[in-house]
Amino acid sequence: YGAIGDVVGIATLGIGTGARATVVQDIKVPASRYPESAQHIRDAQAAGQPDVLTINRAGATSNRRDALRGVQPRAGLDRDEYPPAMFREGGSGSSVRYVNPRDNRGAGSCIGAQCQGLPNGTKVRIRADDW
């Protein structure tokens, strides 16, 4: 993906073979606060998972079920999925990693809070780093 232009927090990106999407907001997951989740996001994106995601809250339950199918729970750990279940791109084929529950749930709350008020269908870019 390559940024083509930014205007008042709205970036237009070229995605794939000529398709275009408007990213309304960058969603930031601070690595200093959520190091395991941030590393999972970076690793998943480096392995080919998308950084631009489409909000689809109605699909979260089925996406979570599909993403976690066959990944057994482990005592004291959460199963973190990327892309997160609340996005259209989540579900089957998502990257799943065991992480500390506090880290995972904090990162999830961080993402959810930044998406609050954005309607379904909104494109956002997930970034994991410190600024």
Side-chain angles (χ1 to χ4, degrees), residues 4-86:
I4 298 184
D6 288 320
V7 180
V8 191
I10 299 175
T12 303
L13 300 178
I15 301 174
T17 58
R20 296 176 66 76
T22 300
V23 175
V24 174
Q25 185 169 325
D26 281 341
I27 304 299
K28 299 176 182 179
V29 178
S32 60
R33 291 187 65 190
Y34 312 110
E36 292 180 51
S37 297
Q39 188 61 53
H40 183 205
I41 291 166
R42 288 191 298 260
D43 291 346
Q45 289 175 348
Q49 294 288 350
D51 63 341
V52 175
L53 304 175
T54 311
I55 296 173
N56 180 27
R57 293 174 185 90
T61 299
S62 62
N63 278 352
R64 183 168 291 107
R65 181 183 55 244
D66 292 344
L68 300 179
R69 183 175 290 123
V71 181
Q72 296 303 312
R74 287 189 186 165
L77 295 173
D78 276 0
R79 295 169 293 171
D80 178 38
E81 74 258 18
Y82 185 87
M86 71 171 279

